[in-house]
Amino acid sequence: MTTTAAVPNDVLRAVRIGLRMSQDDFAKAIRRAGTELGEPNEASKRLVQRWEAGTSKTPRGVYARALERVTGRPVEALGFTLPVPMTRVHADKAGGHDMDAGTGGATSAAASAQAAAQAGDGTFSGVWLSRYEFYSSSRGETYEGKHYVVLVQHGNRLTAQSLPGASSNPDSPLTLDLTVDRNVVTGSWVEQTAADGYYNGARYHGAVQLLVEPTGRRMAGKWVGFGKDFDVNTGPWELRLVDRSTSKATLERCSSPPE
């Protein structure tokens, strides 16, 4: 039987040395970053040694996010041998969004999706910033709507509800009912506009489909829905993680209009 020798991760080692940190200091910084992110981890000098020696090739999601915070680099740029190309959601300049793969070789869509789910540690609960764009035909301009939403996960179901007073358009509550299938999130949205606003209390609803980035901290895709003249409209929509905590203090901090 042939065994593959571990390939040292010289990139990570170089980054650590560039930060003027010992392996022990680096582990402490990763633990501290995890606490700051609301995702405590158990990084140790031994774990850093395993990463740098190449015997541990792929960091779990909580470590990947902490590594990004400590180094200021995306985890795919830290020399790890990832099971699939790490991907970033980007506009495809053709009205949609694609998963832009980095280096690392070809892989099946199913494998890529599985890796994304693992990187997100299987949970999306927390406070997220929702942002979408829409074109107003009556005003001839493109606008955006922003909400801080609380997202709660039950199995593969995700439910998001905007926080009171936490929308760019006052008194415009938003609800999302979603299903997550690996790295694809699909579902419906409902927004009730303000009675004294431009849309006079109209209720809009439609569908949305998003792709989850491997770090589990961003989803991006498209919404579709009917306009007031019963025309079908569409536009970009993204969710960005703000805080994995749903504590009272966190909710109070996010109960104001997004900037």
Side-chain angles (χ1 to χ4, degrees):
M1 182 176 68
T2 301
T3 59
T4 302
V7 178
N9 187 341
D10 294 330
V11 175
L12 182 65
R13 181 171 179 270
V15 170
R16 174 181 61 77
I17 293 173
L19 292 171
R20 299 180 181 180
M21 291 184 182
S22 66
Q23 291 177 331
D24 190 46
D25 291 337
F26 196 53
K28 290 177 180 177
I30 293 170
R31 292 199 301 272
R32 185 164 55 250
T35 300
E36 293 170 353
L37 291 168
E39 302 175 322
N41 62 66
E42 299 179 352
S44 63
K45 178 180 178 180
R46 177 58 181 157
L47 178 60
V48 175
Q49 290 174 336
R50 287 174 57 80
W51 285 340
E52 293 188 357
T55 55
S56 180
K57 301 179 182 298
T58 307
R60 291 193 294 116
V62 291
Y63 293 115
R65 291 184 285 273
L67 280 163
E68 291 187 336
R69 188 178 184 93
V70 172
T71 65
R73 300 186 180 198
V75 67
E76 59 266 36
L78 292 176
F80 290 105
T81 304
L82 301 171
V84 297
M86 295 297 281
T87 55
R88 300 290 180 183
V89 177
H90 71 105
D92 62 8
K93 298 182 181 180
H97 285 74
D98 291 332
M99 297 292 274
D100 185 18
T103 59
T107 184
S108 68
S112 179
Q114 182 177 9
Q118 290 173 346
D121 289 343
T123 179
F124 298 100
S125 296
V127 177
W128 294 68
L129 174 61
S130 166
R131 189 187 74 83
Y132 64 83
E133 294 181 8
F134 67 98
Y135 178 76
S136 173
S137 56
S138 58
R139 290 177 284 182
E141 293 185 30
T142 297
Y143 296 86
E144 68 175 9
K146 293 183 178 180
H147 298 77
Y148 285 124
V149 301
V150 177
L151 194 154
V152 178
Q153 182 168 359
H154 302 281
N156 68 335
R157 297 292 300 276
L158 308 177
T159 302
Q161 178 66 54
S162 59
L163 292 167
S167 63
S168 55
N169 299 314
D171 301 319
S172 184
L174 171 71
T175 300
L176 296 163
D177 186 9
L178 309 168
T179 300
V180 58
D181 181 5
R182 298 176 184 260
N183 70 328
V184 179
V185 174
T186 305
S188 60
W189 59 271
V190 177
E191 184 171 1
Q192 180 69 49
T193 63
D196 58 352
Y198 181 83
Y199 292 101
N200 300 314
R203 178 178 179 272
Y204 291 97
H205 60 92
V208 62
Q209 189 163 57
L210 311 168
L211 294 173
V212 183
E213 287 195 349
T215 59
R217 302 180 66 84
R218 179 174 179 257
M219 311 177 193
K222 289 281 190 175
W223 63 266
V224 62
F226 287 103
K228 64 180 181 179
D229 296 324
F230 298 101
D231 51 335
V232 178
N233 299 317
T234 188
W237 197 320
E238 73 168 0
L239 293 170
R240 287 184 178 271
L241 181 65
V242 175
D243 200 315
R244 291 198 182 276
S245 171
T246 55
S247 66
K248 181 179 179 180
T250 300
L251 300 185
E252 289 178 350
R253 178 168 57 85
C254 295
S255 291
S256 58
E259 296 181 357

